[in-house]
Amino acid sequence: MSHNLLAGKRGIIFGALNQQSIAWSVAKRCIEEGATLVLTNTPVALRFGQLNQLAATVNAPVIPADATNITDLENLFTQSQELLGGKIDFVLHAVAMSANMRKGIDYEDLNYDYLNQTLNISAVSFHKMLQVAHRLDALADYASVVALSYIAAQRAFPGYNDMADAKALLESIARNFGLVYGREKHVRINTLSQSPTRTTAGSGIQGFDDGFTLADRLSPLGNATADDCAAFCVMLFSDYTRKLTMQNIYHDGGFSTTGAFPL
């Protein structure tokens, strides 16, 4: 059901790849709530993913951009304002990748070149995105920026590997940039710690299926789905959360505060 919570708002969605992506669900829900969008991902992801299919479905332009590349980001924010007709009201950062995880390299044996790549893509890209938006004054007053995180930023989870370090850095960037951007432009910056979700990236985590099932059983409300996450993102992008910033918000059915007993 649409309530037009984002009527007249302009947004940029980073990271949609296919129908399993949380960013895909967020984009569709934002359109349903009255927003106009620009979709973006790396040129490689555009070749191997299905983003153009989503773009046709929601009638949104696609601007290729590597989120770690300052020139690409400058072009993205400049073109997005031109295409959408004004400053950007909300941004979703759903960008993450770990070569160490993909190659099955254990945390104690990390390849440091891969680690630097993980941190750059999954966290430093968030700082670069915010820095470019700040320099270009591309975000509207009281704009909302959300990055997807995970509870492994605070707790040790077997198999989550160096991505846990990246998520911890991501959340720190949200707090520190949120302080600056909030004072200057009332821009809100938060991270959303989502339940285990069956995405292309998530399903590649060692032991994901067991972790997904355990979290679902322990959570009093069960795991939050991608559609649940999309609905919550809409609220974070809306004017109903104009005083919420610099927070890491657990959207996990209560898993983060539930103790474990034999089930």
Side-chain angles (χ1 to χ4, degrees):
M1 180 183 296
S2 173
H3 301 282
N4 287 321
L5 292 181
L6 302 181
K9 292 190 181 294
R10 310 172 183 93
I12 300 175
I13 303 292
F14 284 78
L17 181 67
N18 54 39
Q19 293 184 39
Q20 289 183 294
S21 305
I22 291 175
W24 186 292
S25 296
V26 174
K28 290 182 66 177
R29 190 60 184 265
C30 288
I31 291 293
E32 291 171 3
E33 294 292 342
T36 54
L37 295 177
V38 163
L39 303 171
T40 185
N41 211 323
T42 64
V44 172
L46 293 180
R47 287 199 300 272
F48 293 101
Q50 302 166 356
L51 188 58
N52 288 327
Q53 177 186 331
L54 174 62
T57 301
V58 300
N59 192 30
V62 175
I63 301 176
D66 178 347
T68 68
N69 185 289
I70 296 295
T71 301
D72 280 9
L73 290 170
E74 289 172 343
N75 177 65
L76 172 66
F77 278 100
T78 300
Q79 279 199 40
S80 294
Q81 291 179 85
E82 293 170 355
L83 289 170
L84 299 179
K87 292 186 179 183
I88 306 304
D89 297 293
F90 63 89
V91 180
L92 176 72
H93 179 282
V95 180
M97 193 282 292
S98 168
N100 280 302
M101 288 174 62
R102 287 184 177 181
K103 295 178 181 292
I105 300 173
D106 292 332
Y107 186 78
E108 63 270 25
D109 296 316
L110 286 181
N111 177 300
Y112 292 116
D113 289 333
Y114 293 159
L115 172 61
N116 288 335
Q117 189 180 61
T118 298
L119 297 175
N120 193 30
I121 293 173
S122 307
V124 178
S125 65
F126 190 44
H127 192 285
K128 291 178 179 178
M129 181 191 85
L130 291 165
Q131 184 185 85
V132 168
H134 183 257
R135 286 178 177 173
L136 296 178
D137 193 22
L139 300 185
D141 200 46
Y142 282 102
S144 176
V145 181
V146 174
L148 298 183
S149 190
Y150 185 55
I151 192 175
Q154 286 81 30
R155 302 183 189 177
F157 281 81
Y160 206 67
N161 213 306
D162 58 345
M163 188 61 72
D165 300 331
K167 292 301 187 185
L169 176 56
L170 183 83
E171 293 176 12
S172 178
I173 291 168
R175 288 189 294 272
N176 285 287
F177 227 122
L179 178 64
V180 175
Y181 229 153
R183 284 175 169 171
E184 292 185 6
K185 291 282 293 184
H186 304 113
V187 170
R188 302 165 279 153
I189 305 175
N190 296 290
T191 53
L192 180 57
S193 192
Q194 168 71 3
S195 294
T197 309
R198 295 192 186 280
T199 62
T200 300
S203 297
I205 299 170
Q206 181 182 356
F208 174 84
D209 287 339
D210 290 340
F212 179 93
T213 301
L214 179 64
D216 195 45
R217 294 177 67 187
L218 286 177
S219 306
L221 300 181
N223 287 338
T225 67
D227 287 341
D228 293 329
C229 185
F232 193 60
C233 284
V234 165
M235 187 187 73
L236 293 176
F237 295 151
S238 78
D239 291 337
Y240 285 103
T241 52
R242 284 164 71 94
K243 296 296 183 180
L244 180 63
T245 193
M246 300 164 61
Q247 303 299 310
N248 178 57
I249 306 162
Y250 290 104
H251 185 249
D252 62 2
F255 175 78
S256 54
T257 49
T258 301
F261 286 94
L263 297 175

